[in-house]
Amino acid sequence: MTSAPIDRLRADLAAANFSVSALTGLWGIEADAALRRNQRVPALRGLDGLRERLGHAEPCATLARLFVLGLPVDRADLDAALPALGAAGAEELGLVVSVDAGVVADVLPSVGPVGSGASVAAGTLRPLLELRPYSFVDAHGAGSWWIVSDLGELALGHPLGESHVLGVGGASLTLTGLLIPTPVASALDLGTGCGIQAMHASRHADRVVATDISVRALDLAALNAELNEIGNIEFRLGSLFEPVAGERFDHIISNPPFVITPRVPGVPAYEYRDGGLVGDALVEAVVRGAAEHLTPGGIAQLLGNWEYHADQDAFERLAAWLDAPVTPVAPVAPVAPVTPVAPVASPASPASAPLRPDEFDGDFAPNSPNSARMVPLGAESPSNSHTPGAEGVAGDEGAAGAGHAAGAGAEGAHGGQQETAPATDAAALDAWIIEREVQAPTLYAETWIRDGGTRADTADFDLLYGAWLDDFEARGVSQVGFGYMLLRRPAAGTPTFRRLERLPGTLGHNPGGMGSHLAACLAAHDWHAATDDAGLARARLAVASDVTEERHYWPGQEDPTLLTLHQGTGFGRSIALDTGLAALVGASDGELDVGSIVAALAQLLDVDESELAADLLPRVRELLEDGFLQHPLA
């Protein structure tokens, strides 16, 4: 592709105001919500009503019909919507294709002016790719892009192909919202898919390397970068860390294809979600390989699945991954075969095409539709339970990896063998792992079989269901966890930060994402880990601005019976307080040092000052690490 046509496309999209807010204005909030459920009829009615009122096709509406709803448009209307590029230019870029007059439109959607079995008028064009506006807010401010990806089920009228390149789905939004925005010299997006994580990383990294096993994914990612005038991303072909052998990065990002899939004939292996290894070995490979490719102090962030085995908690397995260097990945070992089923991606009747499940549209929404509206990560802040981590510190597209980190293009993705060379310079990692959800094998299997487009009332569904359950049973898998993984190579010495916790509740309100909160918590840990109790006693701490206190009283009583701190942002944590800790937090205004507060409280409560300090100082450290209190350098 040359830059000139892309420049013209960019100019046309901007002139048409092809944006998230404009689309909502065209068809309304309710139609937006229906599109997120993969239902386009309300949006189509809105566009048809607008055309009837205006008497002509409005450019933004033409683009929305074609590239968002996946419906054909007249060539004249597309010429008007893209005056600089033109319909011919869109064909040259591979965005659309002409449909010959009189051809029965079996390949076209069943909703709208062209229906199943209908003939097509001369000059009709249909989309070959999705092109959607995307808006976001991060630590650097508000932004908007246009994202090109493969057509979804809505436009295809049948399930996705195994080499499908996803756009921006639920898992993509989850990871972008977690990215730590600290400026760095270099970043790596491992399994870039359509390139969305690399594009976000380009806002805080001087240089970004984006890898994938799919040539098509890299082509689309490069198109997206050029379309949005992002020039600091380098694209490389290869599996896992092979394309960056011997290199280190300050920030590694990965939304890997971690969906656990049976390695048997007849089970489709979708590149965007299936890394081709047994169980959670793909996530393990990314974790183990990160240490070798991080600079000292460098951070890796990824989404993942992990297995619970009948004889071992998942967190025990995760802790072992963090301490060991890179090891060869075991060959794929198929379990008992099942009768092959018809390929899930084979064309189906548009009228009966299964839809993607919307009931799982959360942190790890499987293959969620590419909504034009970005839902901020975390909207409310109810209480969350705290589970002690590995160091005893108190304490979420499920996860369809939009990137293609490993798969058919890497030896052994579908039945062969994938090996990773032993590390020459690996180190044990600092880690913060947050489990957001746990699913039983039955629910996990149902989720991902439906994600592939197989309907629950078919024989194929039952065969695939049996294959999943056979695989889990043979390997002793009792549950599957979903969550966030933040890894850090210690700047010097051994790891000081190991926190593995379960936080299934709703997150706090984070309109700019969670990244800044994560960075602040890491900084608070580093400060207090390097500060002894005497130094902590001299520190002047302050309560974070988003923290509120809740008190409950028995009727007629002056003293509260229950005190709770609530965090408005971050993970929306809630902490129960006793009298001493509540008084210390209340007095932490940045003026008084901790030691003076403890001394005053000891006198007021008539207790031994040293004993009170021994009780309160460890809890102060926890409040610092959770973001309730801010340290002097914050």
Side-chain angles (χ1 to χ4, degrees):
M1 294 181 183
T2 62
S3 293
I6 296 175
D7 289 342
R8 291 194 287 269
L9 174 61
R10 184 189 313 114
D12 285 339
L13 295 176
N17 189 25
F18 189 50
S19 64
V20 171
S21 58
L23 295 189
T24 303
L26 288 175
W27 51 51
I29 295 174
E30 291 185 5
D32 259 353
L35 273 177
R36 286 194 288 274
R37 300 190 299 270
N38 226 25
Q39 301 292 337
R40 67 180 165 201
V41 172
L44 180 59
R45 290 168 65 89
L47 296 183
D48 288 344
L50 177 66
R51 180 162 187 156
E52 184 176 346
R53 292 192 300 273
L54 296 178
H56 65 273
E58 199 272 339
C60 185
T62 297
L63 298 175
R65 178 186 292 268
L66 180 67
F67 292 121
V68 178
L69 302 187
L71 294 169
V73 299
D74 292 337
R75 178 178 292 272
D77 288 343
L78 188 58
D79 278 329
L82 300 175
L85 180 65
E91 286 180 287
E92 290 179 9
L93 285 177
L95 298 175
V96 300
V97 66
S98 178
V99 180
D100 294 334
V103 175
V104 176
D106 288 338
V107 295
L108 295 176
S110 60
V111 178
V114 178
S116 179
S119 61
V120 182
T124 298
L125 297 166
R126 65 180 177 90
L128 291 177
L129 293 168
E130 288 185 345
L131 171 57
R132 293 173 177 263
Y134 166 73
S135 65
F136 59 90
V137 178
D138 62 16
H140 305 284
S144 61
W145 293 322
W146 297 289
I147 303 297
V148 178
S149 63
D150 277 335
L151 294 172
E153 290 176 36
L154 197 62
L156 292 172
H158 59 75
L160 307 179
E162 293 185 25
S163 60
H164 181 84
V165 179
L166 280 177
V168 182
S172 299
L173 294 178
T174 295
L175 185 55
T176 59
L178 292 168
L179 296 187
I180 290 178
T182 305
V184 295
S186 61
L188 168 65
D189 178 15
L190 192 70
T192 194
C194 72
I196 188 63
Q197 305 302 333
M199 293 167 67
H200 274 283
S202 73
R203 289 169 64 85
H204 68 265
D206 295 336
R207 177 178 69 93
V208 181
V209 175
T211 69
D212 208 289
I213 65 162
S214 167
V215 173
R216 178 168 181 76
L218 292 175
D219 286 344
L220 291 180
L223 170 60
N224 286 326
E226 185 173 356
L227 179 60
N228 293 286
E229 298 184 283
I230 299 172
N232 61 340
I233 305 175
E234 176 188 350
F235 299 93
R236 301 184 191 176
L237 180 68
S239 175
L240 292 172
F241 292 99
E242 290 172 359
V244 293
E247 297 181 55
R248 291 186 181 179
F249 299 87
D250 303 311
H251 197 181
I252 296 176
I253 303 153
S254 185
N255 181 14
F258 55 74
V259 176
I260 298 167
T261 306
R263 306 260 68 86
V264 296
V267 177
Y270 296 100
E271 283 184 349
Y272 69 85
R273 74 180 205 190
D274 176 13
L277 303 181
V278 173
D280 51 20
L282 189 282
V283 178
E284 179 182 1
V286 176
V287 172
R288 291 183 185 273
E292 185 183 7
H293 294 280
L294 286 171
T295 58
I299 288 173
Q301 293 183 271
L302 61 145
L303 305 180
N305 271 180
W306 38 82
E307 295 179 343
Y308 284 76
H309 292 172
D311 58 347
Q312 188 181 38
D313 185 273
F315 280 6
E316 295 178 17
R317 301 179 63 248
L318 295 178
W321 298 354
L322 300 170
D323 288 321
V326 176
T327 55
V329 177
V332 172
V335 296
V338 298
T339 303
V341 299
V344 174
S346 60
S349 169
S352 61
L355 299 176
R356 305 172 189 174
D358 62 271
E359 61 267 38
F360 301 100
D361 192 14
D363 282 359
F364 301 94
N367 196 14
S368 57
N370 298 336
S371 168
R373 178 183 299 277
M374 177 181 138
V375 180
L377 180 66
E380 301 176 13
S381 56
S383 62
N384 287 328
S385 60
H386 293 221
T387 302
E391 296 292 329
V393 180
D396 79 312
E397 259 143 88
H404 307 58
E411 301 266 339
H414 305 298
Q417 181 173 349
Q418 164 86 31
E419 292 191 0
T420 303
T424 57
D425 188 19
L429 296 168
D430 286 328
W432 189 0
I433 297 175
I434 298 148
E435 185 175 79
R436 292 288 288 152
E437 183 181 357
V438 177
Q439 287 188 349
T442 49
L443 181 56
Y444 189 90
E446 293 166 18
T447 299
W448 297 111
I449 296 170
R450 283 185 289 176
D451 172 71
T454 303
R455 290 174 43 172
D457 57 351
T458 64
D460 285 351
F461 186 96
D462 291 344
L463 286 169
L464 292 172
Y465 205 166
W468 248 276
L469 296 185
D470 285 345
D471 176 50
F472 284 136
E473 183 177 348
R475 296 186 299 103
V477 178
S478 58
Q479 296 181 104
V480 179
F482 301 75
Y484 316 151
M485 309 184 82
L486 188 158
L487 315 173
R488 183 175 64 174
R489 180 174 180 136
T494 59
T496 64
F497 188 65
R498 282 288 174 88
R499 186 169 188 172
L500 288 77
E501 57 184 337
R502 297 177 170 97
L503 294 175
T506 305
L507 301 176
H509 180 60
N510 301 285
M514 286 275 290
S516 295
H517 175 77
L518 297 177
C521 290
L522 284 177
H525 163 80
D526 293 342
W527 178 84
H528 86 74
T531 304
D532 60 16
D533 282 352
L536 182 59
R538 293 191 297 270
R540 298 177 180 182
L541 307 181
V543 180
S545 60
D546 65 317
V547 173
T548 58
E549 183 183 279
E550 180 181 6
R551 297 187 174 208
H552 292 262
Y553 297 81
W554 289 114
Q557 298 296 311
E558 294 183 0
D559 297 324
T561 58
L562 178 64
L563 297 92
T564 307
L565 280 187
H566 296 294
Q567 184 179 60
T569 62
F571 289 103
R573 300 179 188 270
S574 293
I575 303 291
L577 304 174
D578 58 24
T579 302
L581 188 59
L584 186 150
V585 171
S588 297
D589 57 1
E591 298 295 329
L592 292 172
D593 62 73
V594 173
S596 297
I597 297 173
V598 171
L601 286 174
Q603 278 193 329
L604 181 64
L605 299 173
D606 193 23
V607 297
D608 181 79
E609 181 179 339
S610 61
E611 292 182 359
L612 183 61
D615 174 61
L616 292 180
L617 291 184
R619 298 158 74 188
V620 168
R621 294 180 184 275
E622 292 179 7
L623 291 176
L624 280 165
E625 204 156 284
D626 283 343
F628 286 91
L629 293 176
Q630 294 180 330
H631 61 91
L633 301 181

